[in-house]
C-alpha cells in the first residue's frame, strides 16, 4: 500500500479553484499577465492572409478613388471595382482564400477581380502602380496598430511610475552603486527617475515613426510612372502626412524598421535593468519590496515559494527588439539600394515579434510597479545599516571649512568606528574630535537617512523641492508626447472615414 491517499483533494471541495489557491498563494495570476505569459502556447487566431488582403484592398480603394478623380479611370469601371472590393472585404476575402497563389497573394487577389469583372474593368486596378510601391505602403499601414499599442503601453507605464513615484516620495531607501548601499534616496525618487528614462524612450519611438507617415505610392517599381497619378491625394486618403520625393528611396528604404527597432531596443535595455533591480529587492535577503499574490508564481514542488517570475519574463522579452534590430540590419546590409526582398520581406519580418515582445514587457513592468508594495521599515533599516548618511556628513564638514578630501578621510574613520563599536553613525560622529564641533550644531536625528534624503534637494536629488519639480516636468512631458501620439492616431482614423466617404461617392456616381 502506498502513502498516497485516495481522499478527495480539499482544494476541490471547499470552493477554491484547483490550481489557483496553492495554500501559500490565495489568488491566481493577474489575467493580463496570464495572457502574456501563458497564451503564447495557444493558437493566437492571427489571420496573416486576411490581414494582408485588407491592407492591400485599403490601398486599392484609395488608389482607385485617386485614379477616378484624375480622370485616368472612368467612374463606371472604378465604381464597379470599388463595389466588388468592398463586398470582398465584407466576405472576409473568402473567394480569394481558396485560389492557388503560385505568384503570391496580390496577384491571386487581382486575378479573382479580373475573373469576376473582366479584364477591361478588373485589369485597371494596377494602373500606375507596382507591387514594390504597394508593399512599401502596406507595411506602413500594417505597423500602425502594433506601433500605436506600444506607444500606449509606454505612456501607461510612465503614468504608473509617476503615480507611484509621488505616492512613495517619502519612503526612504538606499540607492545602490556597485551593489552596495550608497546614499539615501526614496523609492519614489527611484521610480521618478525611471519614468524620466521611459519618457525619453517614448520620444525616441515617436521620432522613429516619422517615416511611416510618408506615402510611397507613385514610386512604381523603382522609377516612378508616366501615368499622372496624385500621391498627395492617396496620402490624404490613407492618413499619411507627406509623399516620397524620390522613387528609388521610396521602394528601397525600410529605415523606419531599423529606427523603431533601435528605439525599442533602447527601451528594452531600460526595462531589463529595472527588472534586475526589482528582482534583487524582492528577494528574502533584501526584502525591500513585496509582490501581491496575483503577481507571483508558486513552485510545483516547494510549497513555501513566492516567485516574482514576471520579472524574468520582462528581462527575457525586453531583448527581443535588440535581436530584431540585429537581424533586420544584417538582412538589409546584403541588398543594394533598390527594391529588394532582403529588405522588404526578410528584414521587415523581424519587426513584428519585436514590437509584440517589447509591448508585453512594458505591460508586465507596469503591472509589477503598480502592484509592488515597499517595505518601508526594511528600506529605512537598510539605509541606516548601510551608513548611507556618510556622504552628507562629509559635506557638512566641507560647509564648515574642511577640504573635501580631508573630510572624506575623517568620515571614513568615523564609519569604521561606528562599525567596530556597533554604534549609530551619529554617535560615532559626536565622538570623533574632528567631527564633534560640527555635530554639536545639529539635533540628535540629523544623520537619519530620511532627514538626509530630504536635505538633498540640489542636483535633482530626492529632497522635496527637486522631487516635486521632477514630477511636474515629467507630467508635462508625458502630456506633450501623448498628445502627439493621440493626434497621429486621430489622423489615421479621420483618413479612414474620409476614404469611406470618397469610395461611397464614386460607387454612387457610377
Amino acid at each position: 500500500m502506498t502513502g498516497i491517499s485516495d481522499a478527495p483533494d480539499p482544494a476541490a471541495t471547499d470552493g477554491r479553484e484547483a490550481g489557483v489557491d496553492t495554500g501559500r498563494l490565495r489568488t491566481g495570476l493577474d489575467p493580463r499577465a496570464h495572457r502574456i505569459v501563458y497564451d503564447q502556447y495557444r493558437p493566437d487566431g492571427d489571420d496573416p492572409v486576411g490581414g494582408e488582403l485588407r491592407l492591400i484592398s485599403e490601398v486599392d480603394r484609395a488608389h482607385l478613388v485617386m485614379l477616378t478623380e484624375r480622370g485616368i479611370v472612368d467612374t463606371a469601371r472604378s465604381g464597379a471595382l470599388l463595389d466588388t472590393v468592398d463586398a470582398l472585404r465584407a466576405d472576409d476575402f473568402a473567394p480569394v482564400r481558396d485560389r492557388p497563389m503560385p505568384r503570391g497573394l496580390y496577384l491571386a487577389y487581382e486575378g479573382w477581380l479580373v475573373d469576376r469583372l473582366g479584364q477591361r474593368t478588373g485589369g485597371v486596378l494596377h494602373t500606375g502602380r507596382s507591387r514594390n510601391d504597394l508593399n512599401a505602403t502596406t507595411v506602413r499601414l500594417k505597423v500602425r496598430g502594433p506601433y500605436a499599442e506600444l506607444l500606449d503601453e509606454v505612456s501607461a507605464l510612465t503614468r504608473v511610475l509617476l503615480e507611484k513615484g509621488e505616492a512613495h516620495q517619502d519612503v526612504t531607501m538606499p540607492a545602490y552603486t556597485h551593489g552596495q548601499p550608497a546614499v539615501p534616496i526614496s523609492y519614489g525618487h527611484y521610480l521618478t527617475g525611471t519614468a524620466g528614462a521611459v519618457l525619453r524612450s517614448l520620444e525616441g519611438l515617436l521620432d522613429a515613426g516619422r517615416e511611416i507617415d510618408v506615402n510611397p505610392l507613385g514610386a512604381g517599381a523603382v522609377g516612378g510612372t508616366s501615368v499622372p497619378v496624385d500621391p498627395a491625394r492617396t496620402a490624404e486618403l490613407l492618413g499619411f502626412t507627406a509623399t516620397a520625393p524620390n522613387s528609388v528611396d521610396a521602394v528601397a528604404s525600410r529605415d523606419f524598421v531599423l529606427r523603431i527597432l533601435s528605439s525599442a531596443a533602447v527601451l528594452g535595455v531600460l526595462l531589463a535593468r529595472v527588472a534586475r533591480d526589482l528582482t534583487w529587492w524582492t528577494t528574502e535577503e533584501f526584502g525591500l519590496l513585496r509582490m501581491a499574490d496575483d503577481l507571483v508564481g508558486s513552485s510545483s514542488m516547494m510549497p513555501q515559494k513566492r516567485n516574482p517570475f514576471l520579472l524574468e519574463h520582462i528581462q527575457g522579452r525586453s531583448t527581443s527588439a535588440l535581436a530584431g534590430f540585429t537581424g533586420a540590419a544584417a538582412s538589409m546590409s546584403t541588398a543594394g539600394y533598390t527594391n529588394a526582398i532582403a529588405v522588404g520581406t526578410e528584414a521587415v519580418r523581424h519587426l513584428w515579434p519585436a514590437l509584440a515582445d517589447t509591448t508585453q514587457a512594458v505591460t508586465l513592468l507596469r503591472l509589477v510597479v503598480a502592484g509592488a508594495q515597499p517595505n518601508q521599515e526594511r528600506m529605512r533599516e537598510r539605509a541606516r545599516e548601510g551608513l548611507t548618511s556618510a556622504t552628507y556628513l562629509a559635506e557638512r564638514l566641507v560647509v564648515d571649512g574642511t577640504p573635501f578630501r580631508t573630510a572624506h578621510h575623517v568620515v571614513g574613520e568615523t564609519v569604521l568606528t561606528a562599525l567596530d563599536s556597533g554604534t549609530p553613525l551619529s554617535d560615532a560622529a559626536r565622538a570623533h574630535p574632528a567631527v564633534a564641533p560640527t555635530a554639536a550644531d545639529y539635533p540628535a536625528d540629523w544623520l537619519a537617512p530620511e532627514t538626509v534624503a530630504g536635505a538633498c534637494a540640489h542636483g535633482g536629488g530626492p529632497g522635496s523641492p527637486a522631487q516635486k519639480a521632477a514630477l511636474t516636468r515629467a507630467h508635462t512631458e508625458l502630456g506633450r508626447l501623448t498628445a502627439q501620439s493621440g493626434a497621429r492616431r486621430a489622423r489615421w482614423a479621420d483618413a479612414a472615414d474620409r476614404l469611406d466617404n470618397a469610395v461611397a461617392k464614386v460607387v454612387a456616381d457610377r
Side-chain angles (χ1 to χ4, degrees), residues 109-447:
Y109 157 78
E110 185 188 53
W112 183 88
L113 291 172
V114 170
D115 290 348
R116 179 66 177 255
L117 299 173
Q119 188 63 247
R120 185 175 181 278
T121 297
V124 304
L125 180 63
H126 213 46
T127 301
R129 197 179 68 187
S130 163
R131 273 190 297 182
N132 296 354
D133 61 340
L134 172 62
N135 291 341
T137 305
T138 57
V139 72
R140 284 163 168 80
L141 299 182
K142 183 177 180 180
V143 78
R144 287 177 178 179
Y147 172 69
E149 184 180 358
L150 176 57
L151 294 178
D152 287 348
E153 283 299 317
V154 173
S155 296
L157 171 60
T158 309
R159 281 191 291 273
V160 169
L161 286 166
L162 293 177
E163 174 189 327
K164 296 299 181 180
E166 187 167 8
H168 299 310
Q169 59 186 312
D170 296 323
V171 178
T172 304
M173 69 172 290
Y176 290 89
T177 60
H178 308 288
Q180 305 299 312
V183 295
I185 58 169
S186 71
Y187 182 50
H189 188 64
Y190 174 87
L191 295 177
T192 304
T194 301
V198 174
L199 278 169
R200 288 194 298 275
S201 284
L202 178 57
E203 184 161 32
L205 285 165
L206 282 165
D207 187 63
R210 286 186 301 171
E211 189 187 340
I212 68 174
D213 282 333
V214 176
N215 180 25
L217 279 176
V222 69
T225 176
S226 62
V227 178
V229 296
D230 183 5
R233 178 55 173 157
T234 52
E236 179 186 19
L237 293 171
L238 292 171
F240 296 110
T241 58
T243 60
N246 181 279
S247 61
V248 172
D249 190 37
V251 299
S253 173
R254 299 295 189 276
D255 286 355
F256 75 86
V257 171
L258 295 181
R259 297 188 199 285
I260 291 176
L261 285 171
S262 175
S263 296
V266 171
L267 172 62
V269 170
L270 171 63
L271 300 176
R273 295 179 68 187
V274 174
R276 179 187 181 277
D277 285 343
L278 300 185
T279 299
W280 281 109
W281 297 348
T282 54
T283 62
E284 289 292 324
E285 285 72 16
F286 272 78
L288 303 184
L289 292 174
R290 179 178 175 82
M291 300 293 179
D293 281 1
D294 67 349
L295 293 174
V296 298
S298 62
S299 165
S300 66
M301 184 177 188
M302 297 168 283
Q304 85 281 9
K305 294 293 294 296
R306 299 180 83 258
N307 299 327
F309 74 116
L310 295 182
L311 294 168
E312 296 180 58
H313 283 285
I314 294 169
Q315 289 178 296
R317 296 185 191 217
S318 62
T319 60
S320 180
L322 179 59
F325 176 85
T326 302
S331 293
M332 289 190 191
S333 66
T334 65
Y337 203 68
T338 184
N339 181 75
I341 289 174
V343 175
T345 300
E346 293 303 319
V348 169
R349 70 184 176 87
H350 295 281
L351 181 61
W352 316 118
L355 283 175
D357 286 346
T358 305
T359 300
Q360 291 171 355
V362 172
T363 301
L364 290 176
L365 183 58
R366 172 172 60 83
L367 296 174
V368 166
V369 171
Q373 287 299 318
N375 185 333
Q376 299 187 34
E377 182 51 43
R378 178 61 176 162
M379 285 183 166
R380 284 193 294 267
E381 178 187 347
R382 289 303 302 131
R384 289 193 299 269
E385 291 175 348
L387 303 173
T388 57
S389 299
T391 301
Y392 176 76
L393 175 56
E395 290 178 343
R396 294 306 90 201
L397 295 177
V398 169
V399 169
D400 282 352
T402 303
F404 178 77
R405 194 52 57 199
T406 302
H408 187 281
H409 183 81
V410 168
V411 173
E413 293 178 336
T414 306
V415 166
L416 192 57
T417 298
L419 291 171
D420 289 344
S421 63
T423 58
L425 183 62
S426 57
D427 291 350
R430 295 182 191 281
H432 195 295
V435 183
T438 295
D441 293 334
Y442 291 92
D445 64 346
W446 72 301
L447 292 181

Side-chain angles (χ1 to χ4, degrees), residues 169-170 184-186 189 452-458 460-468:
Q169 59 186 312
D170 296 323
I185 58 169
S186 71
H189 188 64
V452 172
C456 293
H458 303 286
S464 179
Q467 170 70 357
K468 290 184 184 300

